[in-house]
Amino acid sequence: MSNPRTSILKLRRRTFLAGAAASLVLAGRSFADAPVRGGTVVALAHPGEPNVLTSAVVQTGQVQSVSSKIFDGLITFGDNFEIKPELATKWTTSEDGKELRFDLRPGVRWHDGTPFTSADVKFTFESVWMKIHPRARATFAAVDVVETPDPLTVVFKLRNPSGVILGALNGLESTILPKHLYENTDIQTNPYNIKPVGTGPFRFKEWVRGDRIVLERNPDYWDAGKPYLDQVIYRVIPDATARYAAFESGAVQYGTLTPISLSDLGLAQKSDTLDVDFHGYEWLASAIVADFNVRRPPFNDVRVRRAVAHAIDLKAFVRVTTRGLAKPGTSPVLSTQTKFYAGEGLPEYTFDRAVADQLLDEAGYPKKPDGTRFATTIDWLPFGETFQRFAEFARQAFKAVGIEATIRNQDLPQFFRRVYSENDFDFTISHRAGLGDPQIGIDRVIWSKAILKDIPWSNGSGYSSPEMDKLIEAAHVAPNEDKRVELYKQIQVLAQRDIPTFTLAENKQFTVSSKKLRGLGTGSISVYDSLKDAWLEA
C-alpha cells in the first residue's frame, strides 16, 4: 500500500510542473518552442533544378529559392509589406524626395571573408541591375547616380521622387553581388553564378547536378547565433508522386511554390506530420499568363489575340487545371494588388466562341473546308506537369475555333533561348510575378525599352506602343503616389486592350513543410524565407 504522505507530495509535484508548463504556454512560449541548434533540412528543388544559384542573373523561382539563403538584401519585408532592415540598418529620404540614403550594417563579410561595403552596392547597380536585370530599368528609372561617400553609406540620387525604389531593394529583386569577384567579368557567365559567394545565413558547399545542392551554416553571419540549422540540402525530384511520398516519409521537410500536385494537396492538409501554408506569397503575386509573339503573323493582329482571349473559358480553366484553387485573370495587375487594380474600367474578354469566330474571320483567317483556320505552336514554361496541363487546355480551346495548335516540349534553357533570344515562338503559357508593384512586375513585359535580348522575363512578346511608353514613362516621373497609381490604372487598361499578354489566372500557391520544422518566416515574402530562424524539433 502506498504512503498517503508520499502520494500527496507526488500530486503536489505534478501540479507544480503542470502549472509551470501552463505559465510558459500562457507567456507565449513552451519548452518545445526553444530553438534547437543543429540538424539538416532537406528541401525540394522546385519547380525543377535551377541553372544558376544567384537571382542577380536569373529570376526564376527555383533559382530564388536557393539564392535567398545565400544572399541578403538591403531590406526585407515583414507582414503586410512592412519594410524591415537587413544589410541596411537605416534609410532616410530627403525632404524633396530626390535622395535616398542607406546606412549599411557594419562588420558584414562576404562568405570568402571580404568585407561588404557600399562599393558592392554601387557596382551591382551599375553593372548588373541596369544592364542584365529584366525589371531594373523600370524600377530605377528615377535614379540619376549612386554615390558612396564612405564604405558604409550608399546614396541614391534621384531625378524625381519615386514610390517604387525602396520596396525593390530586397535580396531577391535586387541581389547584391561581390564586386571583387565580378568586376571586369562577363556577369552572365561568371563561374560564381554556380558557386555563389553571398552575405546570407548559408554558404554554398556543393552542387551535384541532377541530385543535390548543399548549403552549410555561415558561422560568421552578422545576425549573431543564427542560423540554427547546420545544412540545407536541396533535392531534385521530378516526379510528382515521388515528391509527395518524400514529404510523407520525412525524406523531405520543406518545399515552396506548390511543391506537390493538387491531387495530393488534400492528403497533405489532413496529414498529422505535414503543414500546408498559403501565406508568404503576397509579394510574389503569382499569375499564369499567355504571351503572344506580336512580331509576326498571326498574333501581330490584335483581332487574333482578342479572339484567342474570347476562346478560352477562364472559369473552366481554373476549375479543371487548378481544381478551383486559382482565380480567373482580369488584368496584368492582379486584383489582390488593390491599390493599383483598375477594376470595373478594364476591357473584358468573356468566353464567347461566336465572338472569337467573328474576329478571326475579320482578321482574314476564315475556316477552310476541314474546319481549320491556321496552325500555331504553344510553348509552355517547363515548371512541371501543371504547366503542361495549362497548355493542353489552351490547345483544346484553340481547336474549338479552328486553330490547330501543336504543344512543344523543351527544357528551361531551351525555352528561354526560344522566347528571349531567338523570338522563335507563337504563343507561350508561362508564369509572371507581380512583385509588389506594377512598376516592377508589369513594365518589364509591356515597355518597349524592356525588349532585351537574352534576358528572361523581359518583354519577350516584342510589344511596342508609343502610347504605352508615354504612359509608363509618365508614371516613372509622377509627382506623387496618387498620380502614379492613376497612371498604372490607365496602363493596365491599355495593356488589356492591346493584349500582348493575357492573364489566364491569379495563381494561389502554397508551401508544404514538416511539423517538426519550426521558425519559418511569416512575412509577405516568406515563400523565399532565408531559413535563418528555422530549426528542427527533436
Side-chain angles (χ1 to χ4, degrees):
M1 182 179 245
S2 62
N3 186 317
R5 178 175 174 78
T6 303
S7 298
I8 290 170
L9 288 172
K10 286 180 178 178
L11 177 62
R12 285 177 177 170
R13 183 173 182 273
R14 285 198 300 269
T15 303
F16 170 78
L17 290 173
S23 298
L24 285 169
V25 170
L26 287 172
R29 182 180 176 89
S30 70
F31 287 117
D33 286 331
V36 176
R37 186 170 298 282
T40 295
V41 161
V42 179
L44 193 64
H46 183 74
E49 186 173 21
N51 56 335
V52 297
L53 299 180
T54 168
S55 51
V57 176
V58 174
Q59 291 81 38
T60 60
Q62 61 265 66
V63 174
Q64 291 175 321
S65 294
V66 181
S67 181
S68 57
K69 285 59 179 174
I70 300 169
F71 294 90
D72 291 318
L74 291 180
I75 62 97
T76 188
F77 289 115
D79 294 326
N80 299 316
F81 291 95
E82 175 195 5
I83 295 176
K84 301 175 70 174
E86 202 161 73
L87 291 177
T89 59
K90 187 176 73 172
W91 49 89
T92 54
T93 304
S94 63
E95 195 170 321
D96 64 2
K98 293 185 178 182
E99 181 180 290
L100 187 57
R101 179 179 293 261
F102 292 89
D103 293 349
L104 302 184
R105 191 176 298 278
V108 176
R109 293 184 177 274
W110 294 100
H111 293 159
D112 65 359
T114 304
F116 164 76
T117 72
S118 57
D120 296 304
V121 182
K122 178 179 173 67
F123 165 77
T124 306
F125 172 84
E126 294 174 347
S127 301
V128 184
W129 301 344
M130 297 304 287
K131 289 188 177 179
I132 67 169
H133 197 292
R135 300 178 286 273
R137 289 166 181 79
T139 304
F140 300 110
V143 178
D144 185 33
V145 66
V146 173
E147 297 179 349
T148 55
D150 62 64
L152 293 179
T153 306
V154 177
V155 182
F156 288 74
K157 296 280 190 178
L158 312 182
R159 302 180 189 91
N160 53 269
S162 171
V164 69
I165 292 174
L166 182 58
L169 289 171
N170 61 80
L172 286 167
E173 180 59 20
S174 301
T175 307
I176 301 166
L177 294 179
K179 178 182 178 181
H180 66 286
L181 299 178
Y182 279 85
E183 190 174 29
N184 299 320
T185 73
D186 182 335
I187 304 296
Q188 291 176 294
T189 61
N190 187 297
Y192 287 99
N193 294 337
I194 59 174
K195 50 176 184 178
V197 173
T199 59
F202 294 93
R203 303 185 303 196
F204 172 79
K205 184 178 181 181
E206 68 170 343
W207 185 359
V208 180
R209 298 276 182 167
D211 181 37
R212 66 187 182 274
I213 299 163
V214 181
L215 310 182
E216 63 182 3
R217 183 177 185 272
N218 175 11
D220 302 315
Y221 191 49
W222 56 263
D223 197 349
K226 298 178 182 176
Y228 300 115
L229 297 169
D230 289 333
Q231 287 189 326
V232 179
I233 299 176
Y234 283 87
R235 291 284 185 184
V236 180
I237 307 176
D239 180 73
T241 302
R243 289 200 298 271
Y244 182 69
F247 277 107
E248 196 174 41
S249 69
V252 170
Q253 294 92 36
Y254 184 63
T256 60
L257 299 167
T258 308
I260 59 175
S261 72
L262 296 180
S263 60
D264 290 322
L265 175 59
L267 292 173
Q269 289 175 307
K270 295 174 184 175
S271 170
D272 293 332
T273 60
L274 299 175
D275 283 325
V276 176
D277 192 357
F278 292 91
H279 298 98
Y281 292 84
E282 293 82 3
W283 175 80
L284 183 62
S286 171
I288 306 304
V289 297
D291 287 336
F292 301 93
N293 189 346
V294 304
R295 300 174 180 87
R296 67 190 192 190
F299 296 122
N300 61 338
D301 190 323
V302 71
R303 293 170 295 184
V304 178
R305 303 197 296 270
R306 290 172 181 165
V308 167
H310 280 295
I312 300 176
D313 184 346
L314 296 186
K315 291 180 180 178
F317 177 81
V318 299
R319 185 176 66 251
V320 172
T321 65
T322 77
R323 300 194 172 209
L325 200 60
K327 178 180 176 182
T330 57
S331 166
V333 176
L334 304 195
S335 63
T336 53
Q337 297 172 288
T338 53
K339 175 180 173 181
F340 293 97
Y341 182 61
E344 293 180 359
L346 289 161
E348 294 183 39
Y349 295 96
T350 54
F351 173 54
D352 193 326
R353 286 178 183 151
V355 172
D357 283 332
Q358 181 182 343
L359 286 167
L360 290 168
D361 288 343
E362 289 175 3
Y365 295 100
K367 282 188 176 178
K368 301 169 189 173
D370 64 358
T372 64
R373 299 176 184 276
F374 59 82
T376 191
T377 303
I378 299 173
D379 290 287
W380 55 279
L381 180 69
F383 272 11
E385 65 285 341
T386 303
F387 279 84
Q388 191 169 15
R389 285 203 304 272
F390 297 155
E392 182 57 35
F393 188 97
R395 189 184 73 82
Q396 295 295 336
F398 280 28
K399 187 176 181 66
V401 293
I403 302 172
E404 281 295 317
T406 300
I407 295 175
R408 185 158 46 194
N409 304 329
Q410 59 218 304
D411 62 18
L412 189 61
Q414 253 185 318
F415 178 86
F416 283 159
R417 186 165 55 252
R418 185 181 298 282
V419 176
Y420 299 104
S421 299
E422 299 166 356
N423 309 130
D424 180 23
F425 70 98
D426 297 321
F427 179 87
T428 69
I429 291 184
S430 186
H431 176 269
R432 184 164 61 240
L435 308 176
D437 192 300
Q439 190 166 336
I440 305 174
I442 304 304
D443 285 12
R444 57 182 166 132
V445 294
I446 53 175
W447 189 25
S448 68
K449 292 181 182 176
I451 300 173
L452 306 170
K453 185 175 173 59
D454 302 325
I455 306 298
W457 315 121
S458 57
N459 184 346
S461 75
Y463 171 71
S464 178
S465 160
E467 183 182 2
M468 180 64 80
D469 287 353
K470 185 177 179 180
L471 284 173
I472 288 173
E473 287 157 20
H476 292 174
V477 297
N480 54 59
E481 188 66 358
D482 288 344
K483 182 62 177 176
R484 191 171 78 95
V485 169
E486 178 192 327
L487 284 164
Y488 273 104
K489 289 183 178 180
Q490 295 177 41
I491 286 165
Q492 68 194 277
V493 168
L494 178 56
Q496 192 72 351
R497 188 192 77 193
D498 287 356
I499 199 166
T501 182
F502 181 46
T503 303
L504 299 169
E506 298 187 4
N507 205 16
K508 190 173 183 181
Q509 302 211 65
F510 57 87
T511 296
V512 178
S513 62
S514 166
K515 288 183 183 293
K516 291 185 176 182
L517 180 58
R518 311 288 295 277
L520 294 176
T522 60
S524 306
I525 200 170
S526 59
V527 55
Y528 297 119
D529 184 22
S530 72
L531 299 183
K532 73 174 185 178
D533 293 308
W535 54 278
L536 280 170
E537 198 175 75

Short mmCIF file of all heavy atoms in Angstrom, two decimals, residues 68-96:
data_model
loop_
_atom_site.label_atom_id
_atom_site.label_comp_id
_atom_site.label_asym_id
_atom_site.label_seq_id
_atom_site.Cartn_x
_atom_site.Cartn_y
_atom_site.Cartn_z
N SER A 68 17.98 32.90 -52.02
CA SER A 68 17.50 33.64 -50.84
C SER A 68 18.15 33.18 -49.55
O SER A 68 18.10 33.88 -48.54
CB SER A 68 15.98 33.51 -50.73
OG SER A 68 15.60 32.14 -50.67
N LYS A 69 18.78 32.02 -49.54
CA LYS A 69 19.50 31.54 -48.36
C LYS A 69 20.95 32.03 -48.36
O LYS A 69 21.60 32.08 -47.31
CB LYS A 69 19.51 30.00 -48.31
CG LYS A 69 18.20 29.35 -47.88
CD LYS A 69 17.06 29.69 -48.75
CE LYS A 69 15.75 29.04 -48.36
NZ LYS A 69 14.65 29.55 -49.19
N ILE A 70 21.45 32.38 -49.53
CA ILE A 70 22.86 32.73 -49.69
C ILE A 70 23.09 34.24 -49.68
O ILE A 70 24.13 34.72 -49.23
CB ILE A 70 23.39 32.12 -51.02
CG1 ILE A 70 23.25 30.60 -50.98
CG2 ILE A 70 24.83 32.52 -51.29
CD1 ILE A 70 23.49 29.93 -52.32
N PHE A 71 22.11 35.00 -50.17
CA PHE A 71 22.25 36.45 -50.31
C PHE A 71 21.23 37.20 -49.45
O PHE A 71 20.07 36.82 -49.40
CB PHE A 71 22.05 36.86 -51.77
CG PHE A 71 23.11 36.36 -52.71
CD1 PHE A 71 22.95 35.13 -53.34
CD2 PHE A 71 24.25 37.10 -52.97
CE1 PHE A 71 23.91 34.65 -54.22
CE2 PHE A 71 25.22 36.62 -53.84
CZ PHE A 71 25.06 35.40 -54.47
N ASP A 72 21.68 38.28 -48.82
CA ASP A 72 20.79 39.23 -48.14
C ASP A 72 20.54 40.42 -49.06
O ASP A 72 21.30 40.67 -50.01
CB ASP A 72 21.43 39.75 -46.86
CG ASP A 72 21.55 38.68 -45.79
OD1 ASP A 72 20.59 37.91 -45.62
OD2 ASP A 72 22.60 38.64 -45.12
N GLY A 73 19.51 41.19 -48.76
CA GLY A 73 19.26 42.44 -49.46
C GLY A 73 19.46 43.62 -48.53
O GLY A 73 19.72 43.46 -47.34
N LEU A 74 19.32 44.81 -49.08
CA LEU A 74 19.40 45.99 -48.21
C LEU A 74 18.24 45.99 -47.23
O LEU A 74 18.38 46.35 -46.07
CB LEU A 74 19.38 47.28 -49.05
CG LEU A 74 20.62 47.55 -49.89
CD1 LEU A 74 20.46 48.84 -50.67
CD2 LEU A 74 21.87 47.61 -49.03
N ILE A 75 17.05 45.55 -47.71
CA ILE A 75 15.87 45.48 -46.84
C ILE A 75 15.18 44.13 -47.05
O ILE A 75 15.53 43.38 -47.96
CB ILE A 75 14.87 46.63 -47.14
CG1 ILE A 75 14.35 46.56 -48.59
CG2 ILE A 75 15.52 47.98 -46.87
CD1 ILE A 75 13.04 45.89 -48.79
N THR A 76 14.20 43.85 -46.21
CA THR A 76 13.33 42.71 -46.42
C THR A 76 11.91 43.12 -46.03
O THR A 76 11.68 44.26 -45.61
CB THR A 76 13.81 41.48 -45.63
OG1 THR A 76 13.02 40.34 -46.03
CG2 THR A 76 13.68 41.69 -44.13
N PHE A 77 10.95 42.20 -46.18
CA PHE A 77 9.56 42.50 -45.86
C PHE A 77 9.08 41.68 -44.68
O PHE A 77 9.31 40.47 -44.61
CB PHE A 77 8.64 42.20 -47.06
CG PHE A 77 8.80 43.15 -48.21
CD1 PHE A 77 9.28 42.69 -49.42
CD2 PHE A 77 8.44 44.47 -48.09
CE1 PHE A 77 9.41 43.54 -50.50
CE2 PHE A 77 8.58 45.34 -49.16
CZ PHE A 77 9.06 44.88 -50.37
N GLY A 78 8.36 42.35 -43.77
CA GLY A 78 7.63 41.65 -42.74
C GLY A 78 6.19 41.45 -43.19
O GLY A 78 5.90 41.40 -44.39
N ASP A 79 5.28 41.35 -42.25
CA ASP A 79 3.87 41.19 -42.58
C ASP A 79 3.34 42.47 -43.24
O ASP A 79 3.79 43.58 -42.92
CB ASP A 79 3.06 40.90 -41.32
CG ASP A 79 3.41 39.54 -40.71
OD1 ASP A 79 3.71 38.62 -41.49
OD2 ASP A 79 3.40 39.43 -39.48
N ASN A 80 2.38 42.29 -44.15
CA ASN A 80 1.71 43.42 -44.81
C ASN A 80 2.71 44.39 -45.45
O ASN A 80 2.54 45.61 -45.41
CB ASN A 80 0.82 44.18 -43.82
CG ASN A 80 -0.26 43.30 -43.25
OD1 ASN A 80 -0.91 42.54 -43.98
ND2 ASN A 80 -0.46 43.36 -41.94
N PHE A 81 3.78 43.84 -46.02
CA PHE A 81 4.79 44.61 -46.76
C PHE A 81 5.52 45.63 -45.89
O PHE A 81 6.06 46.60 -46.39
CB PHE A 81 4.16 45.30 -47.98
CG PHE A 81 3.74 44.34 -49.05
CD1 PHE A 81 2.43 43.87 -49.11
CD2 PHE A 81 4.64 43.88 -49.99
CE1 PHE A 81 2.03 42.98 -50.08
CE2 PHE A 81 4.24 42.98 -50.97
CZ PHE A 81 2.94 42.52 -51.02
N GLU A 82 5.55 45.39 -44.59
CA GLU A 82 6.33 46.26 -43.71
C GLU A 82 7.81 46.11 -44.08
O GLU A 82 8.34 45.01 -44.12
CB GLU A 82 6.13 45.87 -42.25
CG GLU A 82 7.00 46.65 -41.29
CD GLU A 82 7.07 46.02 -39.91
OE1 GLU A 82 6.51 44.92 -39.73
OE2 GLU A 82 7.72 46.63 -39.03
N ILE A 83 8.47 47.24 -44.36
CA ILE A 83 9.87 47.20 -44.77
C ILE A 83 10.75 47.14 -43.53
O ILE A 83 10.64 47.95 -42.61
CB ILE A 83 10.22 48.42 -45.64
CG1 ILE A 83 9.42 48.34 -46.95
CG2 ILE A 83 11.71 48.48 -45.93
CD1 ILE A 83 9.60 49.54 -47.85
N LYS A 84 11.64 46.14 -43.50
CA LYS A 84 12.49 45.89 -42.34
C LYS A 84 13.96 45.91 -42.75
O LYS A 84 14.30 45.58 -43.89
CB LYS A 84 12.12 44.54 -41.72
CG LYS A 84 10.66 44.46 -41.27
CD LYS A 84 10.31 43.07 -40.78
CE LYS A 84 10.97 42.76 -39.47
NZ LYS A 84 10.51 41.46 -38.92
N PRO A 85 14.85 46.27 -41.86
CA PRO A 85 16.28 46.34 -42.21
C PRO A 85 16.91 44.97 -42.40
O PRO A 85 16.50 43.99 -41.77
CB PRO A 85 16.89 47.07 -41.00
CG PRO A 85 15.94 46.83 -39.88
CD PRO A 85 14.57 46.72 -40.50
N GLU A 86 17.90 44.92 -43.28
CA GLU A 86 18.71 43.71 -43.43
C GLU A 86 20.16 44.16 -43.54
O GLU A 86 20.80 44.41 -42.53
CB GLU A 86 18.23 42.87 -44.62
CG GLU A 86 18.65 41.40 -44.49
CD GLU A 86 17.84 40.48 -45.37
OE1 GLU A 86 18.06 40.50 -46.59
OE2 GLU A 86 17.02 39.71 -44.83
N LEU A 87 20.71 44.31 -44.73
CA LEU A 87 22.08 44.82 -44.84
C LEU A 87 22.13 46.33 -44.59
O LEU A 87 23.19 46.88 -44.28
CB LEU A 87 22.67 44.50 -46.21
CG LEU A 87 22.96 43.01 -46.46
CD1 LEU A 87 23.48 42.80 -47.87
CD2 LEU A 87 23.93 42.44 -45.44
N ALA A 88 21.01 47.00 -44.75
CA ALA A 88 20.91 48.40 -44.36
C ALA A 88 20.25 48.46 -42.99
O ALA A 88 19.24 47.80 -42.75
CB ALA A 88 20.09 49.18 -45.37
N THR A 89 20.83 49.22 -42.09
CA THR A 89 20.25 49.36 -40.75
C THR A 89 19.28 50.52 -40.67
O THR A 89 18.40 50.54 -39.81
CB THR A 89 21.35 49.57 -39.70
OG1 THR A 89 22.09 50.75 -40.03
CG2 THR A 89 22.29 48.38 -39.66
N LYS A 90 19.43 51.48 -41.59
CA LYS A 90 18.60 52.68 -41.55
C LYS A 90 18.57 53.31 -42.93
O LYS A 90 19.53 53.18 -43.70
CB LYS A 90 19.17 53.68 -40.53
CG LYS A 90 18.30 54.90 -40.29
CD LYS A 90 18.89 55.79 -39.18
CE LYS A 90 20.12 56.53 -39.66
NZ LYS A 90 20.60 57.55 -38.68
N TRP A 91 17.48 53.99 -43.26
CA TRP A 91 17.39 54.73 -44.52
C TRP A 91 16.59 56.00 -44.29
O TRP A 91 15.68 56.05 -43.47
CB TRP A 91 16.75 53.89 -45.63
CG TRP A 91 15.48 53.21 -45.21
CD1 TRP A 91 14.21 53.67 -45.29
CD2 TRP A 91 15.39 51.92 -44.61
NE1 TRP A 91 13.32 52.77 -44.78
CE2 TRP A 91 14.01 51.67 -44.35
CE3 TRP A 91 16.32 50.92 -44.26
CZ2 TRP A 91 13.55 50.50 -43.77
CZ3 TRP A 91 15.87 49.76 -43.68
CH2 TRP A 91 14.50 49.56 -43.44
N THR A 92 16.96 57.03 -45.02
CA THR A 92 16.27 58.31 -44.91
C THR A 92 16.03 58.87 -46.31
O THR A 92 16.84 58.67 -47.22
CB THR A 92 17.09 59.33 -44.09
OG1 THR A 92 18.40 59.44 -44.66
CG2 THR A 92 17.20 58.90 -42.64
N THR A 93 14.91 59.55 -46.47
CA THR A 93 14.57 60.21 -47.73
C THR A 93 14.62 61.71 -47.51
O THR A 93 14.09 62.22 -46.51
CB THR A 93 13.17 59.80 -48.20
OG1 THR A 93 13.10 58.38 -48.30
CG2 THR A 93 12.85 60.40 -49.56
N SER A 94 15.24 62.43 -48.43
CA SER A 94 15.34 63.88 -48.30
C SER A 94 13.96 64.51 -48.38
O SER A 94 12.99 63.91 -48.86
CB SER A 94 16.25 64.44 -49.39
OG SER A 94 15.69 64.19 -50.67
N GLU A 95 13.87 65.75 -47.94
CA GLU A 95 12.58 66.45 -47.91
C GLU A 95 11.96 66.57 -49.29
O GLU A 95 10.74 66.46 -49.44
CB GLU A 95 12.78 67.85 -47.29
CG GLU A 95 11.49 68.51 -46.89
CD GLU A 95 11.71 69.77 -46.07
OE1 GLU A 95 12.63 69.80 -45.23
OE2 GLU A 95 10.95 70.73 -46.30
N ASP A 96 12.78 66.75 -50.33
CA ASP A 96 12.23 66.87 -51.69
C ASP A 96 12.04 65.52 -52.37
O ASP A 96 11.61 65.45 -53.52
CB ASP A 96 13.11 67.78 -52.55
CG ASP A 96 14.52 67.22 -52.78
OD1 ASP A 96 14.81 66.10 -52.29
OD2 ASP A 96 15.33 67.91 -53.43
#
